[in-house]
């Protein structure tokens, strides 16, 4: 769970309290920032990473107002609404790399809410059957992928640590 901070209600591990403090600080820091709030049903596997988080019909994108935590309940408002919304979680997972918080509500155990900071978006480039070139420069490994049809070249430099992480992922 690298890059992820976990808080669970009732967990007595010492880091649980610290993790909650970090998540609370992150939540409060969202004030006046553009976020995407999405709700999904948790799959049978329980893996929220398997869910499709692309923008869907009932997802909301808005500038969040007054995000705060009182007790363990998260509160927030939408810009043009006096209504204060809230949810009380049994678990929170903050993905610090992607800047998104997964909220697992007490009231609906089969649901996960994701609040993602907008502005972090990655462009996906699809390269099919590229020509490739591998070379080693010092301790780094360089892989160059070339798609002549798209006139696109992607150069990937991996240090020894990144290369070993990649090897762990390969079958």
């Amino acid at each position: 769970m690298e890059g992820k901070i976990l808080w669970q209600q009732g967990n007595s591990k010492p880091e649980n309290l610290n993790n909650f403090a970090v998540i609370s600080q992150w939540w409060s820091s969202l004030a006046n920032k553009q976020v995407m709030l999405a709700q999904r049903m948790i799959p049978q596997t329980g893996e929220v990473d398997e869910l499709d988080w692309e923008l869907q019909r009932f997802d909301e994108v808005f500038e969040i107002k007054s995000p705060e935590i009182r007790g363990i309940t998260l509160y927030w408002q939408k810009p043009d609404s006096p209504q204060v919304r809230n949810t009380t979680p049994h678990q929170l997972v903050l993905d610090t790399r992607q800047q998104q918080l997964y909220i697992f509500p007490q009231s609906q155990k089969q649901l996960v809410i994701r609040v993602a900071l907008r502005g972090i978006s990655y462009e996906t480039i699809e390269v099919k059957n590229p020509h490739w070139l591998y070379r080693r420069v010092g301790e780094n490994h360089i892989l160059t992928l070339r798609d002549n049809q798209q006139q696109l070249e992607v150069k990937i430099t991996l240090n020894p640590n990144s290369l070993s992480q990649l090897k762990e992922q390969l079958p």
Side-chain angles (χ1 to χ4, degrees):
M1 256 181 44
E2 191 177 324
K4 294 187 179 173
I5 297 170
L6 170 69
W7 171 84
Q8 292 176 310
Q9 184 180 23
N11 185 327
S12 60
K13 291 182 180 174
E15 67 269 12
N16 203 46
L17 193 57
N18 292 336
N19 289 353
F20 189 75
V22 169
I23 292 168
S24 295
Q25 186 175 12
W26 183 86
W27 181 253
S28 297
S29 77
L30 292 179
N32 304 314
K33 293 183 181 167
Q34 200 57 207
V35 298
M36 179 179 133
L37 188 143
Q39 299 183 35
R40 302 285 186 272
M41 299 302 287
I42 298 173
Q44 295 290 329
T45 61
E47 294 295 323
V48 296
D49 292 337
E50 294 175 7
L51 292 169
D52 177 7
W53 291 107
E54 290 298 313
L55 191 62
Q56 294 180 15
R57 184 175 172 197
F58 295 107
D59 295 345
E60 301 173 87
V61 176
F62 59 95
E63 190 176 289
I64 194 167
K65 301 290 182 194
S66 308
E68 64 176 323
I69 296 181
R70 295 193 301 262
I72 61 168
T73 301
L74 289 83
Y75 294 89
W76 71 95
Q77 283 180 280
K78 291 172 72 175
D80 299 320
S81 171
Q83 179 188 6
V84 176
R85 298 171 66 184
N86 69 77
T87 187
T88 302
H90 68 88
Q91 177 174 293
L92 298 168
V93 178
L94 175 61
D95 184 332
T96 56
R97 287 187 178 171
Q98 300 292 325
Q99 292 294 296
Q100 51 201 22
L101 178 65
Y102 296 94
I103 303 166
F104 298 84
Q106 283 182 6
S107 60
Q108 296 173 287
K109 301 270 197 234
Q110 75 284 4
L111 187 75
V112 60
I113 301 167
R114 187 186 79 163
V115 178
L117 188 60
R118 296 288 286 186
I120 297 177
S121 62
Y122 296 91
E123 180 180 354
T124 301
I125 300 171
E126 189 168 329
V127 179
K128 294 182 180 178
N129 302 314
H131 297 285
W132 60 272
L133 172 68
Y134 168 81
R135 60 192 171 114
R136 189 170 177 170
V137 178
E139 66 174 12
N140 291 327
H141 303 265
I142 299 173
L143 179 62
T144 304
L145 306 174
R146 184 175 294 142
D147 184 327
N148 291 333
Q149 189 174 357
Q150 296 183 63
Q151 295 185 327
L152 178 71
E153 184 173 280
V154 179
K155 186 183 216 177
I156 302 167
T157 303
L158 301 170
N159 63 25
N161 186 35
S162 295
L163 182 64
S164 65
Q165 286 177 3
L166 176 63
K167 286 179 179 177
E168 288 173 12
Q169 299 293 318
L170 296 174

